Amino acid sequence: MNIRKLAWKNLFRRKSRAVFTGLGIFLGIGTFVAIASLTAQMEQAVRDKLDRYGANILVTPRTEDLSLGFGDIALGGTQVAHSRLTTADEKAIRGIGMKERLRSVVPFFMTAADASGKNLVWMGMPGTEIATARPWWKFTGAPFGEKGEVVLGSEAAAALDKGPGGTVTSKGKTFRVAGVLHPTGEKEDGMVIASIADVRSLAGSPVGVTFFEVAALCKDCPVEDIVAQIGDALPGARVSAIRQVVESRKAAVDQFRKLGLGVSAIVLAIGGLMVFVTVMGSVQERTKEIGVLRAVGFRRKAILSLLFWETGWVSLLSSVSGALVGVAAAMLAAPLFGVEMAEAAFFPAILGVAIGMALGLLGTIPPARRAAALSPTEAIRSL
Amino acid sequence: MNPFIRLENVSMLYGNNGVSAAALRGVSLSIDAGEYAVITGESGAGKSTLLTILGGLQVPSSGTVLMKGVDLSSLSADRLADFRRETIGFIFQAYHLLPYLTARENVMVPMSPLRTGAREKASLADGLLSSVGLSGKEERLPSELSGGECQRVAIARALVHDPSVLLADEPTGNLDSATGEQILDLFSGLHKAGKTVLMVTHNRGNLMRATRSIRLHDGLVAEDRG
Ligand SMILES: Nc1ncnc2c1ncn2[C@@H]1O[C@H](COP(=O)(O)OP(=O)(O)O)[C@@H](O)[C@H]1O
Ligand SMILES: [Mg+2]
């Protein structure tokens, strides 16, 4: 028998005691890991949700007078029809170095054209991208699903006096009104929105693109780099980050991260204290045994190494299981907190095990030193 | 020749918060190698205090303890631990076995900081257990042994490092008289084998076995017969 075996036997044959100590560490570390993982997952979820919310980069032709807003474009439709961007540019954008950061690249094509006798701006976009590019849109009726269908902005619908199921004619073609857009407060309230192919054919511009809206994933927000890369890929285009969007996302995520860190720190302090106190208690309890070991000739170092082996084993096993259960609990709890696709967060688990071990060993020192400072007689008398 | 153990004017005061009680009040004593000394005296006379000081389990408030020419008060805590391990076997009234270890493992405890091989340690322990009459009970836990058997395990543990001095504080105090006699027989055997034995006891019959009888009264040696 050696010190290590002695430690192991003490743990193994006094299971309930070891389990009690382990439970303190398990709960302390488990709670910390669960909370820290959960906040990490929630932070990721907040980020993902924000990323899903519209575009943060706009690609327009450099040659256009860019002081033109949508309103001005409406007045100068022919100008837009001669846009220098084309469908080929989409490939270039999707080919940049950071292409895996691009969540969506959506082409828009705008033109002014007749709509049942009124000159309105037609906005063309791929119907499949409505949910991506305009997730906030709500319709009475349905979004346009196929060629030959349109959605009317609320003001356009009022001006034309049309609703879902009606028709709009333009240049000899008839379009079915699939739905009416609820008021958005934006220019599109006055527009006719249709599939990009339909709007292009009205303008006679089969590959034209007025602008691209690019949604870049905002983790660490390398938007400036992405802007630069798209600019290099499309020398003729003007590429700009929509600063307001980028900054407000950053602020929201930062705020959430601070909250998560704060909560984790508090839980860590409580959990750490729990580990420290249970380990201290379990060593204190053994003062008498320490006295006996000293009486039979154990040096203080031998006592310390015995106790370190013991608390080392308990801390390792219980903080590892606490961390595993913590990660699992965070995964299970994640849906309750609005995290849809929870990914296991391993950093808090590794940190938790390290802290459990460190505090377990640290908690051994004060009572072990106290016990070793007593004479064997005093230690044996203590109860 | 220098005596094997020598106490010079040893005093022990307990308690340091104002009220202090003197357990020993200037004890001087010499014990030669190979003696079997019995220490008697009423409860509270200072017998246990004297024995623990002799065993290096605590240091006196004043006075000198010399054993084999070594001044115990000059030793660091670790050197004192080494000295205890090499020279002294201590046997307590309450056995003080580790409850979670088998008889064999309890005997092996004093060897656990050493690098000796596990087999060697175990066979030494088994030999000692058989010498105290516990063959076949090596795997028992203290809770599965009688009081007399526990004390035998404790004696075997005290013998692990072949100490020259055995200190026993009322080793039969928790045992019935027949069992106590058997334990005392063990000590007589160890004394015959050359060990110096110092034993605190209330057992009158024990005086017959001893070569020397020391009676303490109120922290002083009241009687010393060789
Ligand atoms: N650790 C201690 N703290 C305070 N007083 C003690 C301590 N140990 C012993 N005493 C006191 O010292 C005196 C002698 O004790 P002890 O040596 O145990 O006597 P004995 O073994 O002869 O009964 C007693 O009065 C006892 O109460
Ligand atoms: Mg006593």
Side-chain angles (χ1 to χ4, degrees):
Chain A
M1 196 163 63
N2 53 34
I3 299 274
R4 232 174 327 139
K5 271 200 191 132
L6 187 56
W8 184 247
K9 289 201 158 125
N10 174 52
L11 292 179
F12 197 70
R13 300 228 179 101
R14 301 204 297 183
K15 281 190 207 86
S16 52
R17 246 166 241 222
V19 165
F20 178 79
T21 310
L23 211 61
I25 300 174
F26 175 85
L27 289 175
I29 298 305
T31 313
F32 163 68
V33 171
I35 298 285
S37 310
L38 191 59
T39 55
Q41 285 165 352
M42 286 168 75
E43 184 190 325
Q44 184 58 45
V46 165
R47 209 194 291 279
D48 289 349
K49 281 204 177 117
L50 289 175
D51 279 345
R52 232 173 285 161
Y53 222 68
N56 46 16
I57 298 171
L58 202 59
V59 182
T60 51
R62 189 181 288 284
T63 48
E64 294 287 328
D65 176 357
L66 280 154
S67 65
L68 297 179
F70 284 178
D72 300 314
I73 290 171
L75 296 173
T78 49
Q79 245 182 326
V80 177
H82 293 106
S83 152
R84 285 201 189 160
L85 292 173
T86 69
T87 45
D89 297 324
E90 181 172 340
K91 278 213 179 66
I93 295 173
R94 288 192 184 277
I96 64 167
M98 297 179 89
K99 55 177 173 277
E100 71 286 354
R101 287 303 188 90
L102 303 178
R103 198 176 60 80
S104 66
V105 179
V106 182
F108 285 79
F109 184 81
M110 320 280 289
T111 189
D114 171 62
S116 297
K118 290 206 160 67
N119 193 31
L120 292 180
V121 174
W122 290 63
M123 179 165 98
M125 65 183 290
T128 48
E129 299 283 3
I130 292 175
T132 324
R134 295 288 183 274
W136 55 88
W137 275 3
K138 290 196 171 65
F139 303 92
T140 302
F144 59 89
E146 45 194 288
K147 279 192 178 181
E149 286 187 340
V150 297
V151 161
L152 300 177
S154 55
E155 288 165 21
L160 295 171
D161 194 23
K162 305 271 185 191
T167 55
V168 174
T169 52
S170 182
K171 301 193 174 172
K173 289 180 190 156
T174 303
F175 298 90
R176 203 179 73 81
V177 179
V180 173
L181 192 59
H182 291 190
T184 62
E186 302 281 338
K187 306 286 187 211
E188 52 241 35
D189 286 351
M191 296 183 187
V192 180
I193 304 142
S195 95
I196 192 165
D198 281 342
V199 181
R200 279 179 182 141
S201 71
L202 284 181
S205 167
V207 294
V209 173
T210 311
F211 60 89
F212 288 103
E213 279 187 5
V214 178
L217 296 178
C218 198
K219 187 171 196 309
D220 314 320
C221 279
V223 169
E224 298 300 343
D225 298 341
I226 296 174
V227 163
Q229 290 187 2
I230 297 176
D232 290 346
L234 300 178
R238 189 188 132 114
V239 185
S240 50
I242 307 172
R243 282 250 66 91
Q244 208 180 338
V245 174
V246 173
E247 293 302 330
S248 63
R249 279 179 200 190
K250 231 183 196 161
V253 171
D254 280 355
Q255 227 164 15
F256 195 86
R257 176 189 293 147
K258 275 185 201 144
L259 176 71
L261 284 178
V263 171
S264 300
I266 291 167
V267 176
L268 178 62
I270 296 169
L273 203 67
M274 208 157 150
V275 172
F276 196 72
V277 166
T278 35
V279 167
M280 255 178 60
S282 80
V283 175
Q284 190 120 40
E285 213 170 58
R286 304 188 58 207
T287 306
K288 176 178 162 167
E289 187 178 328
I290 291 168
V292 173
L293 294 174
R294 301 252 289 131
V296 302
F298 272 47
R299 286 183 171 197
R300 280 178 299 189
K301 220 177 83 190
I303 302 277
L304 267 183
S305 84
L306 172 68
L307 296 172
F308 275 142
W309 275 110
E310 287 181 13
T311 42
W313 276 115
V314 177
S315 317
L316 182 68
L317 293 178
S318 51
S319 53
V320 165
S321 49
L324 290 177
V325 171
V327 167
M331 300 280 289
L332 289 178
L336 301 177
F337 291 89
V339 181
E340 282 150 28
M341 292 280 287
E343 265 180 54
F346 285 105
F347 178 68
I350 292 165
L351 187 65
V353 171
I355 287 166
M357 293 289 296
L359 285 176
L361 296 179
L362 221 61
T364 311
I365 295 175
R369 283 177 66 116
R370 217 175 303 134
L374 296 173
S375 74
T377 308
E378 290 170 305
I380 290 170
R381 283 173 65 102
S382 78
L383 262 183
Chain B
M1 192 187 105
N2 283 331
F4 188 59
I5 301 170
R6 188 174 165 79
L7 296 189
E8 283 167 12
N9 202 23
V10 166
S11 291
M12 187 69 190
L13 292 164
Y14 284 118
N16 39 13
N17 37 6
V19 249
S20 62
L24 295 177
R25 301 187 292 148
V27 171
S28 296
L29 205 76
S30 292
I31 290 164
D32 291 325
E35 282 203 86
Y36 184 156
V38 162
I39 301 165
T40 60
E42 69 275 28
S43 177
K47 307 181 293 294
S48 296
T49 303
L50 178 65
L51 211 64
T52 51
I53 287 173
L54 282 169
L57 297 183
Q58 60 184 344
V59 283
S61 312
S62 65
T64 334
V65 184
L66 293 163
M67 195 175 291
K68 291 167 129 182
V70 178
D71 182 353
L72 295 192
S73 63
S74 73
L75 299 179
S76 69
D78 282 343
R79 294 302 308 151
L80 197 56
D82 294 342
F83 186 84
R84 282 195 294 269
R85 187 175 63 236
E86 288 155 10
T87 312
I88 292 160
F90 209 101
I91 292 127
F92 304 90
Q93 177 175 353
Y95 329 129
H96 292 327
L97 300 177
L98 305 192
Y100 52 89
L101 296 182
T102 64
R104 175 188 295 127
E105 288 161 352
N106 262 293
V107 176
M108 288 161 78
V109 162
M111 294 186 278
S112 44
L114 309 181
R115 287 188 196 284
T116 325
R119 268 158 191 259
E120 255 175 276
K121 288 176 180 173
S123 76
L124 177 61
D126 286 356
L128 286 167
L129 283 170
S130 109
S131 79
V132 297
L134 286 181
S135 292
K137 297 186 173 168
E138 295 86 354
E139 307 281 348
R140 302 255 189 112
L141 292 171
S143 58
E144 299 161 345
L145 293 169
S146 70
E149 288 170 333
C150 282
Q151 194 59 293
R152 286 164 192 266
V153 175
I155 292 168
R157 178 179 67 183
L159 294 172
V160 156
H161 291 296
D162 195 19
S164 43
V165 184
L166 288 177
L167 302 175
D169 192 353
E170 302 193 42
T172 62
N174 287 3
L175 305 175
D176 63 69
S177 56
T179 313
E181 279 304 315
Q182 292 166 4
I183 296 295
L184 294 176
D185 287 343
L186 270 179
F187 278 101
S188 295
L190 290 165
H191 172 235
K192 287 204 185 78
K195 309 265 185 227
T196 305
V197 177
L198 273 84
M199 183 188 295
V200 171
T201 185
H202 286 306
N203 191 325
R204 285 272 138 203
N206 202 10
L207 296 175
M208 311 293 290
R209 304 170 185 265
T211 60
R212 180 148 171 208
S213 157
I214 297 160
R215 189 164 67 81
L216 288 188
H217 176 72
D218 202 11
L220 287 169
V221 177
E223 198 181 317
D224 187 350
R225 285 185 291 146

